[in-house]
Amino acid sequence: MKKCVLILLISFLAFEVGAQKKQGKLNKENIAIDYLTSSFTTYDQLQKKIWSTPELGFLEEKSSAALQKHLSDNGFTIENKVAGIPTAFIATYGSGSPVIGILAEFDALSGLSQDTVPYEKAVVTGGNGHGCGHQLLGTASTAGAVAIKKWIEATGTKGTIKIFGTPAEEGGGGKVFFAQDGYFKNVDVVLDWHPASENSVNISTNLARISIIYQFHGIPAHAAANPEKGRSALDGVEAMDNMVNMLREHIPSDARIHYVITDGGGLSPNVVPAHAEVSYYVRAKNTTELFDILNRVDNAADGAALGSGTTVTKKRLAGAIYPILPNKALSKLIQKHFERVGGVQWNEKEQAFAVEIAKSTKTSVQELEKVRIVKPYDENLFGQLKSGSSDVGDVSWNVPVGSFVAATFVPGSSGHSWQNVAAGGTTIGTKGALVAAKVFALTAIDLFSNPKLIIPIKQEFEKLRGENFKYTPIVLGKPELNYRLKK
Ligand SMILES: [Zn+2]
Ligand SMILES: [Zn+2]
């Protein structure tokens, strides 16, 4: 009997010590939050450094180096040039499981150069700019990871934090090559965010996307003297585009097809064009529909070549992307910590800047208030289809991904706009980035402290992905490293 009581007492004490230990670790989460609060200047400078040298996809040498240096200075081990991409990296701290990943982007957009003023004014006319806020994206992910590392170090917790430095989100599909090379295989959960003009978790899905180049080859000839000898490659392109425009009526209404003529075949009307090129994007809500539409677009190309007496070559570019697979369990956990962090609080100067930006988009001052709050979780939005595409999609079919957005821009501004470059480059951007970093820190600390939270996240992921799912990229191949250098 006595022995029994003793065992019970020992078990109770062990349980208490365990619970206190867990509680102690969670109490120490202030180490991470205080670090971020007191490091505002550090991360303001880091994001502005990347903002000031906006680099296009796969060419982000300085931006990638700046993030790698900060992570390395803070004790992370860096593996660079991963997945066949010179600017890609993985930074790791800690050991053992769970393994939590955070995605970090840093590429800019062409033609969006803009100063940090609330009216349109390029720094370099026609230059690049951070219209999607990826300088904030990479900086906040890095800041969050360093804060988590400080907590791991202070608490002696087991687990690994990995930052995936993923280049060329804007059209290059950088993350697809990480997925293709298996870099997410031993990762339990991936956390992701994107700059925006509100604070919310993202439980919607989006469109799969593939990029295809059609090159038509004809026969050159004098357009007046020997037209019968010529075959126009431009006729091939035009016939194809006409057919695709008819096809549009007979595809699912949420699918998208867009094209640009990247080579019109010449400059002189009196020369029958021997070559012409058209570049297409096809988007659809799943890969089955994507391939169905793609085959019909290919048929249009073949038909156009036959009719115009030309030939056509087709190139499906690697970096095609899956739609995002959201995860309720992980999103709810992020929501819980997002509400603890709260929204973005602008000071008077930031508010005045935002009011000026809002005038340019005819947005009311009341509308700006939404940056201060975190949107409530709305399960009805789960799986809602949004018409864009992101290479986070491929990550989400390999490992459960939780995504959220934080307010770094002024409400009412469009994506990829001068307004976003301007606001993102000021402390408005940095404040939103630090909110995101705190959400990363609290969520990861919770997962490290309670690894059991990962079980339902993984179960939901497996169920949604379907039994026997095996990931293969939509197009197997190497990254188009020079896609931003062309023409
Ligand atoms: Zn973008
Ligand atoms: Zn973006």
Side-chain angles (χ1 to χ4, degrees):
M1 186 66 186
K2 266 184 188 171
K3 204 175 166 189
C4 212
V5 170
L6 195 64
I7 288 170
L8 269 175
L9 188 67
I10 290 170
S11 329
F12 175 74
L13 283 175
F15 175 78
E16 268 297 289
V17 169
Q20 275 174 15
K21 220 171 152 187
K22 199 179 274 178
Q23 197 50 45
K25 279 180 183 177
L26 280 173
N27 286 344
K28 282 188 182 162
E29 67 188 8
N30 278 343
I31 291 168
I33 298 303
D34 292 348
Y35 164 74
L36 290 169
T37 305
S38 61
S39 304
F40 187 88
T41 310
T42 304
Y43 291 109
D44 191 46
Q45 284 169 355
L46 184 58
Q47 77 100 342
K48 282 178 183 161
K49 189 174 178 174
I50 302 171
W51 183 93
S52 309
T53 52
E55 298 166 301
L56 302 180
F58 293 137
L59 306 170
E60 317 94 330
E61 285 175 25
K62 289 178 187 153
S63 311
S64 175
L67 295 177
Q68 288 183 46
K69 183 176 184 312
H70 186 73
L71 286 159
S72 165
D73 288 350
N74 280 283
F76 281 73
T77 307
I78 312 283
E79 190 184 346
N80 57 18
K81 300 182 174 65
V82 297
I85 306 170
T87 52
F89 69 89
I90 298 173
T92 307
Y93 180 82
S95 61
S97 59
V99 179
I100 297 174
I102 300 181
L103 302 176
E105 299 171 8
F106 34 78
D107 60 322
L109 290 151
S110 55
L112 271 178
S113 175
Q114 167 65 33
D115 207 347
T116 47
V117 289
Y119 50 89
E120 196 170 2
K121 181 180 175 268
V123 179
V124 179
T125 307
N128 305 331
H130 271 289
C132 213
H134 294 181
Q135 91 283 6
L136 297 165
L137 206 165
T139 300
S141 301
T142 297
V146 173
I148 295 160
K149 178 248 169 178
K150 302 237 176 234
W151 174 85
I152 290 178
E153 201 174 33
T155 56
T157 307
K158 202 165 126 296
T160 308
I161 182 84
K162 271 179 186 285
I163 286 285
F164 293 93
T166 57
E169 189 280 329
E170 301 285 357
K175 295 177 196 71
V176 176
F177 304 99
F178 280 69
Q180 183 174 290
D181 289 357
Y183 284 107
F184 299 111
K185 264 193 186 127
N186 299 317
V187 182
D188 293 297
V189 162
V190 161
L191 303 174
D192 165 60
W193 84 291
H194 200 287
S197 54
E198 63 170 41
N199 306 293
S200 61
V201 294
N202 186 7
I203 51 172
S204 56
T205 184
N206 58 6
L207 296 168
R209 189 197 71 205
I210 185 165
S211 167
I212 328 102
I213 309 275
Y214 296 93
Q215 283 178 324
F216 284 81
H217 316 280
I219 303 168
H222 192 297
N226 316 100
E228 74 287 355
K229 290 192 174 163
R231 298 291 181 269
S232 169
L234 183 57
D235 284 353
V237 166
E238 287 187 300
M240 174 185 175
D241 294 345
N242 280 334
M243 271 191 273
V244 172
N245 287 331
M246 288 184 226
L247 173 75
R248 241 176 243 290
E249 192 185 345
H250 309 290
I251 58 169
S253 56
D254 46 26
R256 298 282 184 272
I257 310 176
H258 11 259
Y259 63 84
V260 284
I261 298 175
T262 37
D263 176 5
L267 299 166
S268 308
N270 64 349
V271 178
V272 174
H275 52 83
E277 183 184 280
V278 60
S279 171
Y280 269 80
Y281 271 7
V282 176
R283 303 184 201 240
K285 68 173 177 288
N286 57 48
T287 49
T288 310
E289 273 183 15
L290 185 80
F291 278 109
D292 176 55
I293 297 167
L294 186 59
N295 288 335
R296 292 163 70 195
V297 173
D298 275 354
N299 287 342
D302 291 336
L306 187 66
S308 60
T310 59
T311 57
V312 63
T313 47
K314 306 160 194 144
K315 189 179 178 197
R316 296 179 177 185
L317 302 186
I321 53 191
Y322 274 64
I324 281 181
L325 189 68
N327 189 291
K328 272 184 217 172
L330 184 51
S331 301
K332 280 184 193 162
L333 188 74
I334 294 172
Q335 177 79 24
K336 180 178 128 190
H337 294 296
F338 212 155
E339 284 173 9
R340 293 175 64 207
V341 174
V344 181
Q345 309 306 324
W346 291 337
N347 61 25
E348 260 176 50
K349 195 179 156 204
E350 289 154 352
Q351 176 75 17
F353 186 92
V355 167
E356 285 305 307
I357 290 267
K359 279 182 193 164
S360 73
T361 59
K362 298 187 172 53
T363 302
S364 71
V365 175
Q366 290 91 310
E367 188 67 10
L368 306 184
E369 289 302 305
K370 73 177 187 187
V371 305
R372 298 183 185 275
I373 56 141
V374 177
K375 252 188 170 176
Y377 182 81
D378 181 359
E379 197 142 313
N380 292 324
L381 299 176
F382 187 78
Q384 195 186 55
L385 187 63
K386 288 196 175 164
S387 52
S389 311
S390 160
D391 61 3
V392 177
D394 285 61
V395 185
S396 73
W397 288 83
N398 281 276
V399 53
V401 173
S403 294
F404 64 95
V405 298
T408 60
F409 304 139
V410 177
S413 307
S414 303
H416 295 188
S417 61
W418 67 260
Q419 287 91 345
N420 284 358
V421 187
T426 70
T427 49
I428 289 179
T430 311
K431 280 195 173 170
L434 279 170
V435 162
K438 287 177 183 175
V439 177
F440 280 136
L442 293 182
T443 309
I445 287 170
D446 203 358
L447 289 166
F448 280 126
S449 307
N450 307 293
K452 278 185 184 159
L453 290 171
I454 297 171
I455 297 168
I457 293 170
K458 281 193 171 170
Q459 281 170 344
E460 182 188 337
F461 168 71
E462 294 296 350
K463 196 175 161 203
L464 272 181
R465 199 167 68 147
E467 264 178 48
N468 307 321
F469 175 85
K470 195 178 170 300
Y471 171 79
T472 43
I474 293 173
V475 181
L476 265 169
K478 292 200 162 105
E480 296 276 328
L481 293 177
N482 63 351
Y483 83 112
R484 289 297 195 206
L485 292 173
K486 284 179 197 164
K487 295 179 194 91

